[in-house]
Amino acid sequence: PDDYADALRGEAHRLGIGDRVRFHPGVAVTERHEPMAAADFFVLPSDTIQEAHPNAVGEALATGLPALLSDWDGLREWIDDGVEGFLAPTWIAPAPERVEALSVWT
């Protein structure tokens, strides 16, 4: 959603990295290699079982990008933590106090 993308852009600016973070929604499949070739790092904070083996992770790793992934289901199988990237801990809901501690929008 546009408001979510706007919130992410605002947070990037608040953190002082807005000039170094780019969002590329709706990139055509045939052009995905272009933003990845220009990136320094790939981030997928997903924690959903519906997306345990997303193609985007394989595409990013194939370009040589290090990745930050959730330590969740199949995502943890993509990389060795500290080698090709890093795994971020994931908690199972309900955990509102953990979500509030991690979220800047609460």
Side-chain angles (χ1 to χ4, degrees), residues 9-41:
R9 286 184 189 94
E11 183 62 13
H13 285 288
R14 187 187 73 75
L15 293 170
I17 59 171
D19 60 332
R20 292 177 280 162
V21 176
R22 300 288 181 260
F23 298 90
H24 298 278
V27 175
V29 173
T30 57
E31 298 174 2
R32 286 187 187 157
H33 64 283
E34 294 174 8
M36 288 193 191
D40 296 317
F41 213 84

Side-chain angles (χ1 to χ4, degrees), residues 76-94:
R76 72 172 64 97
E77 304 301 325
W78 281 97
I79 64 171
D80 288 323
D81 192 27
V83 179
E84 297 93 359
F86 300 96
L87 296 172
T90 304
W91 296 291
I92 296 175

Side-chain angles (χ1 to χ4, degrees), residues 38-72:
D40 296 317
F41 213 84
F42 177 81
V43 178
L44 183 74
S46 178
D47 65 352
T48 172
I49 60 173
Q50 289 87 3
E51 196 171 36
H53 293 282
N55 289 338
V57 176
E59 292 166 350
L61 294 174
T63 66
L65 283 174
L68 173 61
L69 307 174
S70 297
D71 185 10
W72 182 261

